[in-house]
């Protein structure tokens, strides 16, 4: 019991999950006026540290005061109803245990930032706010300040009000719709309400409408409004269509005061609707699909397999129509009343698939990804919680949404590494979390891919997952033909122009002439990977990271792809002042430029991180390309998967070698996946496709298997090597990276950890310490220790606990106090 304070049995304590890397929930005391209202799963604002406030989630309510500290009071309860379900709380704990992080970190990932406020949160005016009369005088004053400053942080406001707790004031203003809270300036506001107008019911038929127009004779401007209004309604459906109203925006260019008068005189009614991000579809525009026979077979087999297995791997080649089969299955599960989640590895993919799914599921479907604004994400989160969305399409983090009744989770392109979060914690794998969650909710999981991950295929081969295969493209489409170009030979024969082989250029030219489209894959953005002085051999390096700076021609900058550091590209060598600076290597930007020079008439688009930063950029590039006016699309891995264009008959892969020879035990698997997936963009409809692969090592076995479209042969060969070295899927790998600004401190800390782990687990299970592939990032030196743990042989929980303990132990030593340990379970 805490000293000096007495608790009676009615004192209520709450454990609160906070978005900070601390192991346990913190205990706060509920003030008397809230003691009846606090609920597990509700958000609270609590003081944390000296001057901070944080939003947390109540994870437990009890009567026991904390032993080691004096419980502070909850500052504010944000919800009348919980926003986090018991299911989620369970999941947060599971993810935290498995991936060796803290449940608060998982909670933080699960809640869209629009649902959290903290001392860095900022407020701005709600541009849609009009009901000034709702406000108290002092609130009006606050709004004036916010307006003047454009935006204010919580801290600013508390300074202004000379009051430490401003949450209440802010909450009132939010409730009244006067202000918006946002976390950072990603995108401040995106409207989700639309203002609508409709005729008062008594005018909503043809004769009454005509009479109204007569009545307004002489009031030309008002008449104009009504004429336009009626003109927009189909004469035979005035009543029905009027009921849904017309967007107020249609009448923008007409007189605003006449509109006001008409509303005041109750001729027109103004109302507001909340629109989901997606347009509603008329039932008659909805598409229905008919599966082909092989597709129907596959779908039936999947259903059969689900009778026996919780997880089914669906290995269907590119263009076989996996999406159509998903639709068939989703439809079945939705009509049984359960929830469905379709996960996609990347936003680049969602554009096309989402619009296909919309045609089937309309506004039953919620879409969840990071290119959406906070507001939109909150809308989907709350929609799932309240049961408005039975079906969600989303990226990685959508698995953390408040599902309670999942029937089916589909992980499309299940092999994709972007399902694994790299930074920050939780470093979770959404596919694997999905399997765990589905297990708990008695749901099925479908893993779909043309190039399954070895992990999943191995499980299927061992009877742990069901396996369904579809080896046929939809309709008349066939897999593309391959041309492997030996660049060494080509160079010898002088058949290379600007890095392109002559035969590829000929094929490209013919393709442009035929008005067919080409996709070029180069897994490196920017213009050139480095800038080099020909006199003194200077190379532009990042001063914070051990990597060269990439030359970006468009902005004329040198950029670090690890830390984002940027400088203007020098005109003369900074060391010897020579002007003989040259850009070495090839990035997407250079390919675009070179091709434009070779084919001045061709229309070229580029899709990589640099061209897709803004919200709708993906969509714009994809639809522009799909509309067909574009000849060539150059891009990084973003273009490698999922995209579906009818008119692409030529694909080129440029730096296959870089992928194949990458120093990682998964390099061959990745290269196989990548090349197969990119190639899969060609010849998806009637037009046959060709794929050019330019390489320095045409005989590499990975290429042989790609060319023969022999996934199984490739798997059989590779899996033996994996087994020999005891790599996944035969083991689990946990990597621990040390970070410190002193190289030797980082090295020694990693060495110390490796030593104790070797003692505990045996030397063959522990690798390292070894310097990371990029040894220094943001001035921190990185060393890695890898732990390989055979499946089913070891008690994983105990091993993880031991690792965590040892890290804490090393961190208590004086010299290693400031070393950061980053643990990545199931590193990919
Ligand atoms: P995958 O995801 O397996 O690569 P998709 O699902 O993208 O393949 O299908 C490839 C193309 O074939 C798409 O344009 C799709 O609309 C079309 N398609 C597939 N199956 C059907 C079907 N049963 N009816 C009509 N079009 C189909
Ligand atoms: Zn120089
Ligand atoms: Zn850097």
């Amino acid at each position: 019991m805490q000293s000096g304070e007495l608790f009676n049995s009615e004192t209520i304590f709450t454990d609160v999950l906070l978005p900070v890397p601390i192991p346990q929930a913190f205990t706060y005391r509920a003030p008397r006026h809230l003691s009846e209202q606090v609920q597990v799963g509700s958000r609270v604002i609590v003081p944390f540290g000296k001057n901070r406030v944080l939003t947390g989630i109540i994870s437990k309510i009890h009567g026991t005061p904390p032993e080691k500290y004096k419980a502070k009071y909850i500052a504010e309860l944000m919800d009348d109803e919980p926003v986090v379900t018991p299911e989620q709380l369970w999941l947060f704990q599971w993810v935290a245990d498995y991936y060796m992080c803290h449940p608060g970190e998982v909670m933080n990932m699960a809640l869209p930032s629009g649902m959290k406020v903290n001392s860095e949160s900022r407020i701005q005016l709600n541009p849609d706010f009009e009901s000034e009369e709702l406000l108290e005088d002092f609130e009006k004053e606050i709004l004036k300040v916010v307006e003047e400053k454009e935006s204010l942080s919580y801290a600013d406001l508390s300074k202004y009000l000379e009051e430490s707790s401003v949450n209440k004031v802010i909450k009132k203003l939010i409730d009244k719709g006067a202000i918006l809270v946002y976390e950072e300036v990603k995108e401040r506001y995106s409207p989700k309400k639309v203002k609508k107008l409709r005729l008062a019911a008594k005018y909503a038929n043809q004769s009454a409408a005509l009479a109204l127009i007569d009545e307004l004779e002489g009031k030309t401007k008002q008449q104009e409004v009504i004429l336009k209004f009626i003109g927009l309604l189909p004469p035979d459906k005035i009543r029905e269509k009027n009921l849904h109203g017309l967007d107020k925006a249609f009448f923008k260019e007409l007189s605003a005061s006449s509109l006001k008068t008409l509303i005041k005189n109750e001729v027109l009614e103004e109302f507001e609707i909340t629109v989901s991000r997606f347009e509603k579809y008329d039932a008659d525009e909805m598409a229905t699909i008919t599966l082909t026979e092989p597709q129907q077979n596959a779908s039936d087999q999947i259903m059969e397999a689900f009778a026996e297995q919780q997880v089914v791997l669906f290995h269907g080649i590119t263009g076989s129509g996996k999406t159509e089969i998903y639709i068939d299955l989703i439809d079945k599960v939705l009509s049984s009343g359960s929830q469905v989640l379709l996960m996609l590895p990347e936003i680049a993919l969602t554009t096309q698939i989402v619009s296909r799914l919309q045609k089937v599921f309309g506004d039953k479907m919620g879409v969840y990804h990071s290119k959406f604004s906070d507001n939109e994400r909150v809308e989907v989160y709350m929609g799932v919680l309240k049961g408005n969305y039975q079906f969600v399409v989303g990226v990685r983090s959508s698995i953390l949404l408040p599902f309670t009744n999942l029937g089916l989770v589909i992980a499309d392109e299940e092999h994709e590494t972007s399902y694994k979060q790299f930074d920050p914690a939780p470093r979770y794998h959404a596919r694997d979390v999905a399997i765990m969650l589905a297990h708990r909710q008695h749901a099925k999981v479908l893993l779909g891919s043309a190039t399954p991950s070895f992990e999943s295929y191995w499980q299927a081969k061992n009877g742990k997952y069901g396996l369904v295969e579809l080896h046929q493209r939809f309709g008349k489409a066939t897999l593309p033909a391959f041309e492997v170009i030996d660049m060494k030979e080509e160079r010898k024969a002088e058949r290379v122009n600007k890095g392109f082989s002559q035969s590829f250029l000929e094929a490209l030219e013919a393709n442009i002439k035929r008005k067919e489209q080409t996709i070029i894959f180069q897994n490196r953005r920017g213009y050139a990977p480095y800038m080099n002085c020909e006199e003194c051999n200077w190379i532009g390096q990042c001063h914070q990271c051990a990597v060269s700076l990439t030359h970006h021609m468009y902005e004329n900058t040198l950029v670090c792809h690890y830390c984002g550091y940027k400088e203007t590209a020098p005109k003369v060598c900074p060391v010897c002042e020579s002007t003989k600076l040259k850009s070495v290597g090839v990035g997407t930007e250079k390919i675009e430029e070179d091709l434009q020079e070779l084919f001045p008439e061709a229309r070229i688009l580029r899709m990589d991180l640099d061209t897709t930063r803004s919200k709708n950029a993906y969509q714009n590039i994809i639809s522009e390309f799909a509309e067909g006016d574009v000849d060539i699309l150059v891009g990084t891995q973003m273009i490698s998967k999922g995209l579906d264009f009818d008119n692409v008959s030529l694909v080129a892969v440029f730096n296959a070698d870089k992928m194949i020879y990458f120093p990682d035990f998964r390099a061959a698997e990745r290269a196989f996946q990548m090349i197969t997936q990119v190639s899969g963009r060609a010849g998806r409809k009637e037009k046959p496709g060709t794929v050019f692969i330019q390489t320095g090592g045409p005989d590499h076995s990975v290429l042989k298997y790609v060319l023969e479209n022999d996934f199984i042969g490739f798997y059989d060969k590779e899996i033996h090597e994996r087994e020999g070295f005891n790599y996944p899927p035969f083991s689990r790998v946990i990597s621990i990276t040390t970070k410190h600004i002193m190289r030797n401190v980082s090295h020694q800390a990693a060495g110390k950890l490796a030593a104790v782990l070797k003692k505990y687990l045996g030397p063959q299970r522990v690798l390292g310490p070894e310097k990371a592939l990029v040894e220094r990032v943001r001035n921190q030196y990185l060393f890695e220790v890898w732990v390989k743990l055979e499946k089913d042989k070891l008690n994983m929980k105990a091993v993880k606990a031991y690792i965590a303990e040892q890290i804490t132990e090393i961190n208590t030593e004086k010299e290693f106090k400031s070393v950061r340990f980053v643990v990545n379970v199931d590193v990919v």
Side-chain angles (χ1 to χ4, degrees):
M1 176 124 326
Q2 293 163 325
S3 59
E5 221 175 321
L6 281 178
F7 296 103
N8 58 39
S9 58
E10 279 151 44
T11 307
I12 303 279
F13 290 95
T14 60
D15 288 352
V16 177
L17 291 182
L18 294 174
V20 285
I22 45 169
Q24 286 90 26
F26 259 60
T27 304
Y28 287 88
R29 195 174 163 180
R32 195 169 294 274
H33 71 281
L34 292 179
S35 61
E36 301 272 298
Q37 293 161 44
V38 286
Q39 290 185 65
V40 169
S42 289
R43 285 173 299 170
V44 285
I45 295 177
V46 294
F48 185 77
K50 260 201 176 143
N51 295 315
R52 286 168 82 191
V53 293
L54 292 172
T55 305
I57 295 289
I58 299 176
S59 62
K60 202 173 155 195
I61 297 175
H62 56 86
T64 323
E67 273 174 21
K68 295 193 178 138
Y69 54 92
K70 182 168 177 235
K72 292 181 183 170
Y73 278 103
I74 291 173
E76 189 164 332
L77 176 67
M78 287 174 79
D79 301 305
D80 300 329
E81 293 294 327
V83 295
V84 167
T85 64
E87 275 299 285
Q88 282 175 296
L89 287 174
W90 173 86
L91 187 65
F92 297 168
Q93 190 63 50
W94 185 85
V95 170
D97 290 343
Y98 187 89
Y99 292 102
M100 297 179 71
C101 62
H102 308 303
E105 292 173 307
V106 190
M107 179 276 290
N108 196 31
M109 187 57 55
L111 291 193
S113 41
M115 290 174 70
K116 292 169 289 194
V117 295
N118 59 41
S119 34
E120 284 92 52
S121 296
R122 303 186 71 82
I123 53 177
Q124 65 161 119
L125 291 188
N126 180 352
D128 269 2
F129 181 66
E130 280 169 4
S131 332
E132 287 256 338
E133 66 277 4
L134 291 178
L135 299 180
E136 319 249 343
D137 283 345
F138 80 98
E139 292 177 324
K140 286 183 190 156
E141 286 297 312
I142 294 176
L143 287 199
K144 256 192 219 141
V145 180
V146 178
E147 187 167 21
E148 247 167 52
K149 299 255 154 83
E150 281 185 10
S151 84
L152 276 185
S153 72
Y154 272 46
D156 295 342
L157 189 62
S158 78
K159 248 188 242 151
Y160 170 79
L161 293 178
E162 292 176 5
E163 201 175 314
S164 60
S165 161
V166 292
N167 304 310
K168 277 213 182 87
V169 179
I170 289 177
K171 184 163 187 273
K172 276 235 173 73
L173 286 170
I174 294 172
D175 289 346
K176 289 179 179 175
I179 58 167
L180 299 168
V181 176
Y182 62 97
E183 199 130 352
E184 20 176 319
V185 198
K186 264 191 248 157
E187 189 195 338
R188 285 224 201 138
Y189 177 71
S190 90
K192 56 175 184 181
K193 302 247 196 234
V194 169
K195 290 218 161 105
K196 292 240 166 186
L197 292 173
R198 68 182 160 219
L199 287 168
K202 64 176 174 181
Y203 300 112
N205 64 68
Q206 208 170 5
S207 54
L210 292 175
L212 173 62
I213 292 168
D214 285 344
E215 226 175 90
L216 292 173
E217 200 57 62
K219 295 171 184 156
T220 330
K221 285 193 176 151
Q222 292 183 38
Q223 210 182 28
E224 221 181 331
V225 172
I226 298 300
L227 277 170
K228 171 153 187 183
F229 199 99
I230 293 170
L232 287 168
L233 299 173
D236 54 331
K237 283 191 180 162
I238 291 185
R239 187 173 293 278
E240 293 139 84
K241 290 281 170 183
N242 179 62
L243 206 61
H244 298 293
L246 298 172
D247 286 3
K248 194 176 177 188
F250 286 157
F251 302 91
K252 246 193 344 230
E253 70 279 14
L254 299 182
S255 148
S257 62
S258 310
L259 261 188
K260 256 198 186 141
T261 314
L262 285 166
I263 294 167
K264 207 179 90 207
N265 294 345
E266 294 177 0
V267 175
L268 289 178
E269 292 170 5
E270 188 176 16
F271 63 107
E272 219 175 38
I273 58 163
T274 309
V275 284
S276 76
R277 226 189 85 79
F278 298 102
E279 301 146 45
K280 309 223 164 151
Y281 278 78
D282 275 348
D284 46 331
E285 279 174 35
M286 298 286 216
T288 47
I289 45 141
T290 319
L291 295 185
T292 62
E293 206 184 302
Q295 288 174 340
Q296 191 60 56
N297 283 341
S299 178
D300 292 345
Q301 283 174 36
I302 291 169
M303 287 308 279
E304 276 164 35
F306 276 148
E308 314 250 301
Q309 298 274 18
Q310 192 220 335
V311 184
V312 172
L313 173 63
F314 174 31
H315 177 204
I317 62 168
T318 56
S320 57
K322 290 186 289 297
T323 315
E324 312 299 335
I325 292 170
Y326 298 157
I327 291 173
D328 189 50
L329 295 165
I330 292 165
D331 209 27
K332 283 197 182 106
V333 177
L334 286 178
S335 53
S336 78
S338 305
Q339 297 168 315
V340 177
L341 169 64
L342 169 58
M343 291 199 296
L344 302 171
E346 261 183 88
I347 346 167
L349 281 178
T350 58
T351 319
Q352 277 192 327
I353 294 187
V354 162
S355 66
R356 266 157 83 186
L357 293 170
Q358 252 167 18
K359 294 200 175 113
V360 184
F361 299 104
D363 48 17
K364 265 192 266 179
M365 178 177 96
V367 182
Y368 195 72
H369 68 57
S370 59
K371 275 270 147 95
F372 281 7
S373 70
D374 288 345
N375 295 342
E376 289 162 318
R377 289 206 287 165
V378 173
E379 193 182 311
V380 176
Y381 184 101
M382 295 306 288
V384 173
L385 186 72
K386 295 191 176 135
N388 300 339
Y389 295 118
Q390 279 290 97
F391 172 32
V392 174
V393 181
V395 292
R396 187 168 66 210
S397 60
S398 58
I399 193 62
L400 301 172
L401 285 168
F403 296 108
T404 47
N405 175 30
L406 279 170
L408 175 67
V409 182
I410 301 173
D412 188 28
E413 314 284 0
E414 64 86 24
H415 63 279
E416 274 294 325
T417 48
S418 38
Y419 279 125
K420 180 78 157 75
Q421 173 146 316
F422 179 64
D423 234 358
R427 297 180 175 80
Y428 65 110
H429 198 305
R431 175 195 66 203
D432 299 345
V433 173
I435 291 174
M436 182 42 76
L437 183 65
H439 182 71
R440 186 175 155 92
Q441 300 193 0
H442 306 292
K444 304 294 179 188
V445 179
L446 184 66
L447 308 177
S449 177
T451 51
S453 65
F454 278 21
E455 269 88 349
S456 299
Y457 202 74
W458 186 75
Q459 297 280 16
K461 281 281 152 193
N462 287 304
K464 295 242 173 79
Y465 298 169
L467 178 63
V468 174
E469 318 220 14
L470 180 55
H471 291 299
Q472 202 175 340
R473 278 193 155 180
F474 166 71
K476 294 200 190 75
T478 50
L479 282 173
F482 285 91
E483 298 269 351
V484 176
I485 309 290
D486 182 343
M487 289 307 280
K488 281 195 207 118
E489 289 296 315
E490 294 293 288
R491 288 220 167 79
K492 256 190 238 152
E494 300 191 353
R495 289 174 42 82
V496 177
N497 187 355
K498 290 183 186 288
F500 305 108
S501 71
Q502 205 59 50
S503 44
F504 168 66
L505 289 177
E506 282 155 21
L508 178 57
E509 184 169 9
N511 218 38
I512 296 172
K513 279 215 181 96
R514 279 196 303 270
K515 299 242 166 284
E516 294 177 31
Q517 293 177 302
T518 303
I519 287 182
I520 296 176
F521 170 69
Q522 168 74 10
N523 211 5
R524 181 177 262 151
R525 70 192 165 93
Y527 186 79
Y530 58 99
M531 196 177 240
N532 179 217
C533 169
E534 289 188 303
E535 295 284 341
C536 75
N537 217 14
W538 166 85
I539 288 175
Q541 292 270 353
C542 180
H543 64 286
Q544 309 192 80
C545 312
V547 288
S548 57
L549 295 169
T550 302
H551 186 196
H552 286 241
M553 190 67 113
Y554 170 69
E555 304 174 320
N556 196 33
T557 50
L558 297 182
V559 180
C560 174
H561 286 183
Y562 282 80
C563 72
Y565 167 80
K566 209 185 241 189
E567 64 183 42
T568 308
K571 287 201 181 69
V572 296
C573 171
V575 177
C576 74
E577 300 191 352
S578 153
T579 51
K580 285 194 183 161
L581 288 178
K582 102 182 163 204
S583 293
V584 187
V586 178
T588 44
E589 209 184 332
K590 177 147 171 55
I591 291 185
E592 182 187 15
E593 183 187 281
D594 287 347
L595 285 175
Q596 198 69 76
E597 255 171 55
L598 292 168
F599 302 97
E601 308 282 289
R603 276 208 62 204
I604 307 176
L605 285 179
R606 172 159 60 91
M607 185 151 114
D608 54 30
L609 200 63
D610 300 311
T611 62
T612 53
R613 291 194 201 274
S614 68
K615 180 176 174 183
N616 291 319
Y618 288 104
Q619 196 147 356
N620 295 343
I621 293 172
I622 288 169
S623 50
E624 221 179 311
F625 191 68
E627 275 155 26
D629 270 353
V630 179
D631 301 297
I632 303 169
L633 177 63
V634 182
T636 53
Q637 41 79 29
M638 279 182 194
I639 60 164
S640 70
K641 55 221 152 188
L643 294 178
D644 181 41
F645 302 109
D646 296 357
N647 195 28
V648 174
S649 50
L650 181 61
V651 161
V653 176
F654 283 158
N655 64 349
D657 303 7
K658 266 266 145 45
M659 288 183 277
I660 295 172
Y661 295 107
F662 194 75
D664 182 302
F665 72 90
R666 284 197 180 86
E669 182 186 351
R670 296 262 184 280
F672 181 92
Q673 288 165 348
M674 189 72 95
I675 301 168
T676 304
Q677 292 288 349
V678 189
S679 308
R681 302 314 111 204
R684 293 171 72 83
K685 289 290 157 69
E686 280 91 53
K687 288 169 192 148
T690 310
V691 179
F692 276 77
I693 299 177
Q694 295 198 164
T695 168
D699 302 321
H700 198 286
S701 69
V702 172
L703 287 180
K704 196 184 92 205
Y705 289 111
V706 170
L707 263 49
E708 288 167 2
N709 187 40
D710 185 10
F711 170 79
I712 295 167
F714 174 64
Y715 170 85
D716 284 339
K717 171 185 161 288
E718 282 284 317
I719 203 76
H720 283 298
E721 290 184 18
R722 295 278 181 97
E723 189 163 21
F725 289 105
N726 194 24
Y727 273 126
F730 298 92
S731 62
R732 295 186 183 286
V733 174
I734 300 176
S735 79
I736 302 117
T737 307
T738 55
K739 297 188 177 181
H740 198 267
I741 47 172
M742 310 273 288
R743 191 178 187 280
N744 62 339
V745 173
S746 185
H747 190 197
Q748 280 164 17
K752 189 144 198 178
L753 181 68
V756 288
L757 292 180
K758 276 177 190 167
K759 217 184 245 169
Y760 177 72
L761 291 164
Q764 74 287 357
R765 292 200 176 101
V766 182
L767 307 178
E770 223 166 288
K771 62 180 188 190
L773 205 59
V774 175
E775 188 189 7
R776 188 169 51 108
V777 175
R778 289 174 205 275
N779 286 327
Q780 305 265 332
Y781 285 89
L782 313 186
F783 283 85
E784 286 179 354
V785 177
W786 277 38
V787 182
K788 285 193 295 185
L789 305 164
E790 307 93 289
K791 281 188 185 155
D792 308 325
K793 262 202 194 160
L794 294 158
N795 178 344
M796 287 295 160
K797 269 199 178 151
V799 174
K800 285 175 186 170
Y802 186 79
I803 294 173
E805 235 169 69
Q806 293 310 311
I807 288 173
T808 313
E809 184 66 36
I810 295 172
N811 263 159
T812 57
E813 286 175 40
K814 207 163 114 218
E815 46 184 323
F816 299 129
K817 251 203 174 85
S818 50
V819 176
R820 267 193 67 208
F821 288 85
V822 174
V823 184
N824 192 342
V825 177
D826 291 345
V827 62
V828 294

